[in-house]
Amino acid sequence: MAYVRSHVLVCAGTGCTSSGCKAVEKAIEQEVSRLGLDSEVKIVETGCFGFCKIGPIVMIYPEGSFYCYVKPEDAAELVSEHLLKGRMVERLLYRDVQNPKPTAFFTDIGFYKKQKRVALANCGAIDAENIEEYIALDGYQALANALTQMTPAEVIHVIKQSGLRGRGGGGFSTGLKWEFAARSPGPIKYVVCNADEGDPGAFMDRSILEGDPHAIIEAMAIAGYAIGASQGYVYVRAEYPIAVNRLSIAIDQARQLGILGKGIFGTKFSFDLSIRLGAGAFVCGEETALIASIEGKRGMPKPRPPYPAVRGLWDKPTLINNVETFANIPQILRKGAEWFAAMGTEGSKGTKVFALAGNINNTGLVEVPMGITLREIIYDIGGGIPDKKAFKACQTGGPSGGCLPASLLDTPVDYDTLTAVGSMMGSGGLIVMDESACMVDVARFFLEFTQEESCGKCVPCREGTKRMLEILERITEGHGTPDDIDLLVELSATIKGASLCGLGNTAPNPVLATLRFFRAEFEAHVVDKKCPAGVCQALLSYSVIADKCKGCTLCKKVCPVDAISGTLKQVHIIDRAKCIKCGACVPKCPFKAIVR
Amino acid sequence: MLTVAELNEIRTRVRKQLRVRTNGSPVKIVIASGTTAISSGSRAVMAAALEEIAVKGLSTVQVEQREIDVPATEQTAVLVCAHGEEVLYKQCTPEMVRELISKAVTESAE
Amino acid sequence: MERIKLTIDSTPVEVDPGSTVLDAAKKAGVHIPTLCYHPELKLEGSCRICVVEIEGMKNLAASCVYPAANGMVVRTNSEVVRKTRKSIVELLLANHPEDCLVCPRHGTCELQDLSHQLSVRKVRFRGEKRELALDESSIAVVRDPNKCILCGRCIRICEHTQKVSAIGLAGRGSRAVVTTPFNRGLAEGPCVACGQCIKVCPVAALRERDASEQVWKALSNSTLHTVVQVAPAVRAALGEEFGLRPGALVTEKMVSALRKLGFNRVFDTQFGADLTVVEEGHELLHRLERNENLPQISSCSPGWVKYAEHFFPEMLNLVSTCKSPQQMFGALVKTYYAEKFGIAARDIFHVAVMPCTAKKFEASREEMGRDGLQDVDAVITTRELAFMIKEAGIDFANLPDSEFDLPLGMSSGAGTIFGVTGGVTEAVLRSVYEIKTGKELEEVEFQAVRGFGGVREAQIPLNGMTLRVAIVNSLGQAEKILNKIKAGEASYHFIEIMGCLGGCIGGGGQPFSKDPDIKQKRASALYRQDHLKRVRKAHENPAIKELYRSFLGEPNGEKAHDLLHTHYHARPRY
């Protein structure tokens, strides 16, 4: 067999797939073939690199050259220069926002420097559709070791010692959860992987399934051994076709090798996995709703207790963990609880994956040690706010979390601190907002989401979120009153306290947190009838500053509804009754004479 | 059914192939590329090097190519980096590189 | 098992393991308001009205589903609990029509009660209210999604108790609605019109299709001869609507009231029931002789018959071909009665008063008439009759007694007990035994078939053989037993299936009641009446004997077949 001197890794995560990585890969393949390099160079499709903004990404080893925004037209140059002649193609190498010099080796890139990749360790590093590559990087060693060298109780002990907490939002101790499920009596139990990732903008679970599906299979098999289950289900959104496909391939490969099935590694332990598709209902991320959905029922939560660990899927004891939680398991068993517990803070061990989105330079997926500050994530890794705008707030915890202001940028990111300041860890969405965001509007957006996604079962959530949304809409439309703010607070208490499931219990959080840190902005809307950020259309009124207007008529020409009148060299006037507040006139005015 | 021994066999075998991606091999052979090198026959030297590594089953060797700044007449240049030491060989032919690998590299590798 | 000790509002209380906080509160004498909770239904915990504070818990707990635990300290009326409950009612009212004064559930509405009980004085939320179309596709049941509060009781009784699933929840968030498959209306789905959903609906989102206007119109039309029949279960429940104690038997007052409403003849469906016993008994003996189409399954419950047509079409051959008492009666009114009294059938307007909504559907079946006339022209439920009596200004409680008209008002005790689960079986046994053996029964009361268990079995010695019978109430239980029969796991000679829990006394057209023992009370009223009857066996009813002698000829004979028997056909589910 020929020795392959160079590996070309093409990111084939969802992000890069949509920016065209498949065409790039094909073009590189053709070029490699045309230059007769087939036997020397191997092209590998990997999972997500995390830096989705600059995709398609191509990484060439052994040099570790990190090429971004690669187009199919670049393939010829890339192959002949880099692969044939050994010259890096500088124009395609990544450049930091702060540092215009191209960065060759990817670990030197600011975006990656402060990251600590555990759950994402294999994402972008291996061919997700090749079980052997996973095995080469110590894959399935933890399972082999657990099955042949450890008792189930010992496995659970290690997970407990590691301090791992659920990465899906709740932050419950994973080891305890395993222990509860293990203690529940019964010959039939289930392990379920919650891959119904639903927070707006979050895609860590998708990326792990796309980039490292075997880690999930291995972890679920370990969990099955630990609690006494021989069947597992992965509940994954049907909107994740790549993840579903790679996971199916991985399950097939594992079955073929005998890593799934009967008598794994020559022991008496048997375990198999099935995939169940969901349609992306947010509420199906809630354990009991997810179970109902797997059972073929409408995805609606049930009151707990009984908890799934006691009575879950088909009324059998069921362990449910989310994807990222499972992704940590093999490494914890391989490297030890101490290794894991050495990362993070007192109460929050290990790392956390975040999906950076919003007004931030480096959007994408990052994994950081717990305890890192928001500032480090946003500025050091995320590259700060674009267009020299000021930071206003960052939203964590998705629709269950809250917006934190600039004064809290040095807050360490861990479960307890985030909850204490009025937000929550959640599943890892991190949306950054600059000064142009209206916080009332942001609260309204999240309420709209939860109201849409409420299952409709319990009254506080179904009816309460609707009324909260109506109040917020009223405020953004300029019809709010100070009483409305009190009503919001009161409704929040009812919904939080009395809702049936976590969706309702946390639905008011985005409103409460914004009220806590940005109350003045709410008051500006209801008292002064002004939207300080200039977002709420109804509260805007455009006018011409007479001193600045030179009567150039540009604004008049661009106005789509003829709301601006005036003749050449005369001060123009905006008719507010006609104005539809489209804002088209503002950038047209060369003299900045039009104000909101 | 896979045994633990078989699992480890796969790990050992495929890990060798993946070493390229770690940039951490103890031994690197850099074969000169660029105009003067290629015209002096560096592609044949590369082919020979790769073949020799494959035949010998050397897993800790990494082959790179880049421009090595030597006079055109000294091409094809080959740089062998092993354990912190770099030795530059000039006017390498396919035969020479085979020998280089079987001697120098086999000794320092593994 | 060890008892659980907890404290509710500083009252210590002990309950059995498996009890909920609500159970414990009841035991401690503490009233916790509920809405989605219903003692006969699977727990849901969705309305959150019953929330309580439990020490150490971050959020409030729904007491109807929260398990009681040792050492638990519960507060059921703290400020946060009271505020939350009020705010939940307020939220419900904000999305509910404000037409209480003209609502048919005014006075029996649980939401109205709650609002009053919790002193909700104002609805502060002003916003969008649902505006959805009514589902009036069914002849028996009307759905008003705008009044629906999504407590899910109807879905639970339809899905779990009845195994019909004609309705379910669709849509998310505030657009969630209880609806029919593909939103095509009840008439297009497997709804069997049993009306159990109406009975558990706390508001007026589900109600019977009101036929009283039609009846009023007929009563005021002097060219029409109005004849009414009243089912046995009605007399055991009607009094509740007029403040009489549950279980009061109001037969004679009811007859007076119907006369006062203007009916020309007031007859008794129990006469039809007696006739059914004779026909069904002979049919059973016939099938037993030939050993075919066994077990024979009763056909008096129209909800059950429709259920069989939708869900067990392959077993329709087992269902007795006898029409129900209502329809046997109707057929006789338009033939026998018309001939005997020289009234043209088309001049007769025949009304049936039933405890049942499915009877409305049954009366409309195309098999149930002749010469373009339906045998029963209008069916009203017990509730509708009560509304009519009230509207007519009749002081029901103080009415004098009066008797049914003859001859179709004459009945035996066998006909009376048709109104309760097990009654059809007992009535058939009384007759079959005597017809088959030619001997007189020593004990007419078959205690073995009485009771309220979902499925009850009995073995009756009958002339050398053992007659195996089963009594089933509710369609969910029917599904179980029919599947067993299909699988060969059970075998019977006769099965009585009643669509509703408790039989007709628990029918979908009966008065709303909060009395947990209401079914027992109504049943004992019927058994009491049976006990007092001079004639207790259907075949001994002199009017029945006369009917066969002068009109029908032989039981199961040609004329009987033509008038009193029917056939069934498979219906699609969706």
Side-chain angles (χ1 to χ4, degrees), chain A residues 1-7 9 35-37 39-40 42 44 46 61-64 81-87 105 125-127 130-141 144 148 256-259 262-267, chain B residues 1-25 27-28 31-36 38 42-43 46-47 49-55 58-67:
Chain A
M1 203 185 75
Y3 176 80
V4 178
R5 66 175 167 89
S6 180
H7 287 190
L9 272 56
L35 295 179
L37 298 172
S39 62
E40 298 171 31
K42 182 178 176 182
V44 183
T46 71
Y61 282 110
E63 294 85 2
E81 286 299 303
H82 189 120
L83 292 174
L84 183 64
K85 303 178 197 161
R87 297 174 186 142
F105 203 77
I126 62 168
D127 177 354
N130 183 345
I131 190 171
E132 292 200 335
E133 291 205 356
Y134 179 70
I135 293 173
L137 299 185
D138 297 329
Y140 291 113
Q141 291 291 331
T148 57
Q256 266 163 27
L257 272 186
I259 290 173
K262 288 201 182 346
I264 300 168
F265 292 127
T267 65
Chain B
M1 194 197 60
L2 193 75
T3 62
V4 177
E6 286 162 347
L7 179 77
N8 290 335
E9 187 276 319
I10 298 174
R11 175 170 66 159
T12 315
R13 173 168 55 80
V14 184
R15 185 176 273 190
K16 289 176 188 167
Q17 299 164 12
L18 295 195
R19 199 155 253 160
V20 176
R21 290 182 216 168
T22 57
N23 197 18
S25 295
V27 181
K28 277 186 204 170
I31 295 171
S33 59
T35 313
T36 55
I38 288 176
S42 69
R43 293 288 305 143
M46 171 65 85
L50 295 177
E51 195 185 298
E52 191 63 20
I53 291 170
V55 168
L58 303 170
S59 62
T60 53
V61 181
Q62 176 177 315
V63 180
E64 287 183 28
Q65 57 172 15
R66 62 170 181 259
E67 291 176 306

Side-chain angles (χ1 to χ4, degrees), chain C residues 260-293:
Chain C
K260 276 191 171 268
L261 285 175
F263 284 104
N264 298 109
R265 287 290 179 277
V266 181
F267 288 144
D268 197 344
T269 310
Q270 289 180 186
F271 174 88
D274 281 345
L275 186 57
T276 306
V277 173
V278 176
E279 285 295 320
E280 200 168 345
H282 278 92
E283 187 186 14
L284 176 62
L285 289 171
H286 192 69
R287 290 193 192 186
L288 285 171
E289 264 167 41
R290 294 199 173 187
N291 195 27
E292 65 179 21
N293 293 332

